[in-house]
Amino acid sequence: MKITTWRAAAAAACAAVLALAGCGANGNGANDANKAGVTGGMLTILTSATEMDLDPAKSQGLPITSNGNIFRRLTAWKITEGGETKVVPDLATTTGEPSDDGRTWTYTLKDGVKFEDGTPITSKDIKYGLERSFADSLTGGLSYHKTLLEGAQDYHGPFDGEELDSIETPDDKTIVFHLNAPFGDWPWVASLAGFTPVPQGKGPASGYGKKPVSSGPYRIESNEAGKQTVLVRNENWDKKTDSVRTAGPDKIVFKMSQDSSVAAQSIMQGTGEGRNAFSASTVPAAQLAQAQANPSYKKLLTTSSSGALSYLAINTEHVKNLKIRQAIEYAIDKKAYQTASGGTIAGDIASTLITPGIAGHVDYNLYEADPTGDVDKAKQLIKESGEAAPTLKLIATSDQAELASSIQTSLKRAGITVNIQTLNSDVYSDASTNDKGDYDLVISGWQPDFPSPYANISPLFDSTQIGNGNYNQARYNNPKVDALIKKATETINQTEAGKIWAETDKTIMADAPVVPLLYSKNTFIHGSNVTDFIIGQFPAYPDYTQVKLASKN
């Protein structure tokens, strides 16, 4: 199955911020800031965003972050006491009932689910909301369903009166999806923004994101670009129908255009709104060092556990000799890379492709060596290759300069010369994903859209994802791996699928197309009166739907 739409924005962002703490890391269920919240008060979220377009058809937002309190979908993410992120029913009574070997998925809506005006949410509202995401005027949203649903490639939205026949609504409580192939991860896809219900006939092609209709515990009171977005309680949300969201604060205010350094400083000092606020950005390096050195500030930090992958991609179309690629695996000083990234708080040293917190992850290391590398082994492999030690071109962003330097120094020890080309982030993103592949090495990172090996492995190693703006930056093409990816994707039993994904991971690493470097971590800061600040095993961001205040004042 060819899937060509992935989190491009996140991948590009990862490349730009790896020097600080990585982009996307998994969390620890213990990072919950005491879990002693009350109901009431006003929570402030400080964000660097200059506006909030909340149109679900255009959103790549995680179900647990900014729009998680406004919108509900068929399924949702729930963090367990042990920190595992699971897919659970939300508007639907189950996570989906498969039939036809996983090509058909059926959902039944719960009783009593309503929009903010009290109107019942029906299956037709979910169908219409999903159909909106196909409109040519509404771009940028996550698009897994656009390649999975039958007939979707020729569909362009509902605004001309057309419907997508592969989404059936036999009655107001039932919705049926017909896929073009079996797909075991459909319950995760049904949790994404495109599955937000939109009242039929509403949600025009433009402007809906300013004040969309709420189906969650909060509705939008105001939304001023550059200033703030204010959420207040949705009186027609019924907690009895929602096992996920706690709806603690009476009001949630997103303060926009906030400098992340200033925001962190305000929170540490507890001045003004800082006591009842948290920052949506990871803590900048300077403030992170300051907070770690001060016990009063340090307790306001929450750091995710190991998770999302930082890696060095080796262009297999250029570096064709397996022995040379294996030599690179051994020559890299991962400890030096970790130090350049900010130390142990930036992440743990990696050896696998499927990251911790995702089903199918198995600890192993095909290129076992000291964290500083095995230079002698690398030199031996170069000798066995029958080639001279190569000269390689490494592309990186300016923010990755120190990281690139650590790679250059590592490989020099084995006689491999690395020439670094520094690019701005936009040029870097294009250069690393276009059809030319004019590089030998590239530093990158990957945060999947949902905690599945499919979203972790397929975009980086499926041969259909080479070039054309996709993220197989190693230009890796192995028919055996393509077949394993297809087999795992179409396996509905997730335990069995996990075994196939683990085999896929090891099969890829035997070809050495990338060097896993770190399972990255993110660190966030919250005010002294903020509690229930939870980061699960996936993703590396706080769950906005759980956050409360310790007291109303």
Side-chain angles (χ1 to χ4, degrees), residues 11-12 23 36 116 126 145 148 169 222 284 296 319 327 339 348 358 429 459 489 500 508 526 529:
C23 184
E116 63 180 70
I126 295 171
H145 57 282
L148 292 168
T169 54
S222 63
S296 297
V319 188
T339 300
D348 294 328
I358 293 182
S429 181
T489 298
I500 302 169
I508 295 168
H526 59 83
N529 195 40

Side-chain angles (χ1 to χ4, degrees), residues 179-224:
L179 312 185
N180 52 36
F183 190 72
D185 280 332
W186 185 256
W188 288 109
V189 174
S191 72
L192 302 178
F195 289 75
T196 300
V198 176
Q200 290 184 81
K202 294 190 178 181
S206 64
Y208 185 67
K210 185 78 173 177
K211 197 174 181 180
V213 179
S214 167
S215 49
Y218 295 89
R219 60 179 176 82
I220 300 166
E221 182 179 71
S222 63
N223 187 359
E224 299 179 81

Side-chain angles (χ1 to χ4, degrees), residues 211-525:
K211 197 174 181 180
V213 179
S214 167
S215 49
Y218 295 89
R219 60 179 176 82
I220 300 166
E221 182 179 71
S222 63
N223 187 359
E224 299 179 81
K227 295 182 180 179
Q228 64 182 27
T229 298
V230 179
L231 309 184
V232 295
R233 291 195 181 279
N234 171 14
E235 299 300 331
N236 282 296
W237 171 76
D238 187 351
K239 175 61 180 172
K240 295 176 185 175
T241 70
D242 193 336
S243 64
V244 176
R245 301 161 185 84
T246 60
D250 288 331
K251 180 181 289 189
I252 300 174
V253 178
F254 288 85
K255 287 284 185 74
M256 298 181 214
S257 304
Q258 301 294 304
D259 179 270
S260 56
S261 297
V262 174
Q265 201 69 46
S266 169
I267 291 170
M268 283 190 288
Q269 294 174 356
T271 56
E273 63 204 4
R275 182 170 176 268
N276 296 326
F278 72 85
S279 176
S281 302
T282 55
V283 183
Q287 284 67 43
L288 183 57
Q290 180 184 359
Q292 287 181 301
N294 185 320
S296 297
Y297 298 161
K298 188 174 182 179
K299 66 183 181 182
L300 304 178
L301 300 176
T302 300
T303 300
S304 65
S305 61
S306 295
L309 187 67
S310 301
Y311 61 93
L312 179 72
I314 306 170
N315 187 340
T316 56
E317 293 177 351
H318 289 182
V319 188
K320 297 181 179 181
N321 192 310
L322 175 59
K323 296 283 188 179
I324 296 293
R325 298 199 302 270
Q326 290 174 333
I328 294 171
E329 298 277 356
Y330 282 106
I332 293 293
D333 184 342
K334 296 182 181 181
K335 187 67 177 177
Y337 185 91
Q338 182 186 54
T339 300
S341 301
T344 55
I345 198 170
D348 294 328
I349 291 171
S351 61
T352 68
L353 303 174
I354 299 174
T355 54
I358 293 182
H361 170 77
V362 175
D363 285 324
Y364 74 92
N365 189 352
L366 289 187
Y367 306 99
E368 193 165 354
D370 185 87
T372 60
D374 187 336
V375 177
D376 290 339
K377 179 69 171 176
K379 288 180 177 179
Q380 176 189 335
L381 285 163
I382 293 173
K383 185 176 181 179
E384 292 175 4
S385 75
E387 298 181 4
T391 296
L392 304 175
K393 175 182 174 181
L394 168 63
I395 61 172
T397 68
S398 57
D399 291 331
Q400 295 173 325
E402 192 174 351
L403 301 177
S405 180
S406 76
I407 297 294
Q408 183 184 54
T409 301
S410 291
L411 296 184
K412 184 178 180 180
R413 301 177 305 169
I416 299 172
T417 300
V418 174
N419 295 322
I420 300 170
Q421 182 180 16
T422 302
L423 307 170
N424 70 44
S425 58
D426 290 338
V427 175
Y428 162 91
S429 181
D430 176 68
S432 64
T433 62
N434 65 26
D435 293 335
K436 295 179 181 179
D438 185 21
Y439 59 85
D440 302 307
L441 304 172
V442 57
I443 300 170
S444 197
W446 189 255
Q447 166 73 72
D449 293 312
F450 47 89
S452 159
Y454 164 76
N456 207 175
I457 291 285
S458 296
L460 304 185
F461 302 105
D462 190 315
S463 65
T464 65
Q465 303 302 306
I466 298 172
N468 196 33
N470 295 306
Y471 287 88
N472 184 340
Q473 293 164 317
R475 314 269 162 168
Y476 179 67
N477 186 343
N478 183 338
K480 180 180 178 181
V481 167
D482 287 346
L484 283 169
I485 289 173
K486 183 177 187 296
K487 181 179 179 181
T489 298
E490 296 183 356
T491 298
I492 304 305
N493 183 303
Q494 293 302 284
T495 300
E496 292 304 311
K499 295 176 183 177
I500 302 169
W501 285 119
E503 179 187 355
T504 307
D505 190 327
K506 292 183 179 180
T507 302
I508 295 168
M509 281 305 301
D511 287 335
V514 302
V515 181
L517 296 168
L518 295 180
Y519 303 126
S520 301
K521 298 179 183 180
N522 286 343
T523 298
F524 294 87
I525 190 165

Side-chain angles (χ1 to χ4, degrees), residues 114-130:
K114 300 176 182 178
F115 287 114
E116 63 180 70
D117 64 357
T119 304
I121 297 170
T122 71
S123 58
K124 294 178 177 61
D125 299 317
I126 295 171
K127 174 181 168 71
Y128 179 72
L130 194 60

